[in-house]
């Protein structure tokens, strides 16, 4: 049975930068929970950041460039949290390898977890065109299929096909 790596905040845990959850209520998620497929992770906490913590963004939203050492993850005050973001992404990848996880359901628009979009680094609420979070980018690069909470049906279809 395929396991699914899932953002802890989507599971109702208050782990976001402002110590709030982003609870996702959906019958598919309930089914996967009942099937014991869900493997929770918060890459930012796993990487050593506290909760609460300052909000952070990636320049142009490009987490893939962070992995390549070409961009940083910065807080609004300019403090650099790149190392913690990369550490969290590597821990998420190690977890996937350990449990042979090939699918992830990660929170949209997060500088770690976002897979379809992300904020552009200006802290103005502007989305970047090719935005992707650091963890989502690293997992995708290693063949793990990453979905966000707007794509539950697509994830279900992939699981059925597999
Ligand atoms: Fe949620 Fe991911 Fe942010 Fe952790 S890093 S709070 S799991 S979106």
């Amino acid at each position: 049975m395929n396991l699914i790596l899932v953002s802890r905040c989507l599971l109702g845990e208050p782990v976001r930068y402002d110590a709030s959850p982003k609870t996702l209520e959906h019958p598919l998620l309930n089914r996967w929970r009942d099937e014991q497929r869900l493997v929770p992770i918060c890459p930012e906490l796993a990487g050593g950041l506290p909760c609460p913590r300052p909000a952070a963004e990636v320049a142009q939203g490009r987490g893939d460039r962070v992995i390549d050492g070409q961009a940083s993850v910065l807080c609004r005050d300019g403090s650099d949290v790149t190392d913690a973001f990369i550490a969290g992404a590597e821990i998420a990848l190690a977890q996937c390898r350990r449990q042979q996880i090939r699918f992830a359901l990660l929170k949209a628009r997060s500088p770690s977890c976002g897979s379809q979009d992300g904020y552009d680094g200006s802290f103005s609420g502007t989305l970047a065109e090719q935005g992707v979070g650091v963890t989502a980018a690293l997992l995708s690069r290693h063949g793990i299929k990453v979905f966000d909470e707007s794509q539950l049906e697509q994830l279900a279809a992939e699981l059925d096909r597999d």
Side-chain angles (χ1 to χ4, degrees):
M1 181 179 62
N2 283 311
L3 299 177
I4 309 167
L5 192 77
V6 186
S7 294
R8 285 173 57 184
C9 56
L10 292 178
L11 298 175
E13 296 191 51
V15 292
R16 298 179 73 221
Y17 71 96
D18 58 357
S20 70
K22 199 73 179 175
T23 310
L24 177 62
E25 303 279 1
H26 194 284
L28 281 170
L29 189 65
N30 294 339
R31 189 178 95 199
W32 295 330
R33 186 186 284 114
D34 290 346
E35 292 171 347
Q36 301 189 334
R37 287 181 190 263
L38 305 181
V39 177
I41 184 133
C42 174
E44 291 174 25
L45 293 193
L49 292 171
C51 183
R53 55 191 173 278
E57 293 193 5
V58 182
Q60 280 90 49
R62 295 286 301 275
D64 54 329
R65 300 192 70 226
V66 174
I67 293 166
D68 292 332
Q70 297 170 346
S72 301
V73 190
L74 301 177
C75 302
R76 192 188 291 270
D77 67 0
S79 49
D80 190 320
V81 286
T82 306
D83 288 350
F85 271 65
I86 290 175
E90 288 174 345
I91 288 168
L93 178 60
Q95 179 101 34
C96 289
R97 286 182 164 153
R98 215 168 24 248
Q99 296 186 255
Q100 299 178 331
I101 297 170
R102 293 181 293 117
F103 299 94
L105 172 61
L106 301 182
K107 168 84 186 67
R109 296 180 187 170
S110 151
S112 289
C113 290
S115 55
Q116 314 301 316
D117 50 24
Y119 294 108
D120 70 353
S122 66
F123 293 93
S124 64
T126 308
L127 288 173
E129 273 183 19
Q130 294 177 292
V132 63
V134 178
T135 293
L138 186 67
L139 296 185
S140 298
R141 197 172 280 190
H142 287 84
I144 294 153
K145 294 185 177 173
V146 182
F147 300 80
D148 70 23
E149 63 270 32
S150 72
Q151 299 176 303
L152 292 179
E153 280 77 13
Q154 286 108 300
L155 172 52
E158 287 277 349
L159 291 169
D160 285 347
R161 233 192 323 269
D162 200 71

